Amino acid sequence: RNEITILKNTVKQLKGEVSIYNISGQQVFNNQLSDEIKSIIKLTVPTGYYVISIKTNESIMNKKIFITN
């Protein structure tokens, strides 16, 4: 099982969602973004490249990540 840790670097309250997509564009995870300083996402996915998309009421961030088993 893989874990991704998201650390919030602001004291502002943010609402939004976190999505993870495989390299083919299929969504493998989607959840509401918690307002905690630290959020942990647990995934069961094959090793490979993924795109994490974090959408808040202020911005959208997309990053390519590599997940290993």
Side-chain angles (χ1 to χ4, degrees), residues 2-68:
N2 302 300
E3 288 186 354
I4 297 172
T5 303
I6 299 173
L7 299 173
K8 188 171 83 165
N9 63 355
T10 181
V11 294
K12 294 180 184 177
Q13 284 194 310
L14 297 175
K15 293 184 181 183
E17 67 180 14
V18 178
S19 300
I20 299 175
Y21 301 89
N22 65 19
I23 209 70
S24 299
Q26 296 170 311
Q27 188 176 69
V28 296
F29 178 84
N30 182 275
N31 205 358
Q32 292 299 308
L33 186 63
S34 76
D35 199 39
E36 301 295 321
I37 296 291
K38 180 178 177 180
S39 298
I40 296 176
I41 298 171
K42 296 184 180 196
L43 295 171
T44 305
V45 294
T47 296
Y49 285 99
Y50 293 83
V51 175
I52 185 168
S53 177
I54 300 174
K55 300 174 188 173
T56 70
N57 48 335
E58 292 189 0
S59 65
I60 298 173
M61 183 196 75
N62 296 303
K63 293 286 180 186
K64 188 172 169 182
I65 58 175
F66 187 77
I67 297 175
T68 60

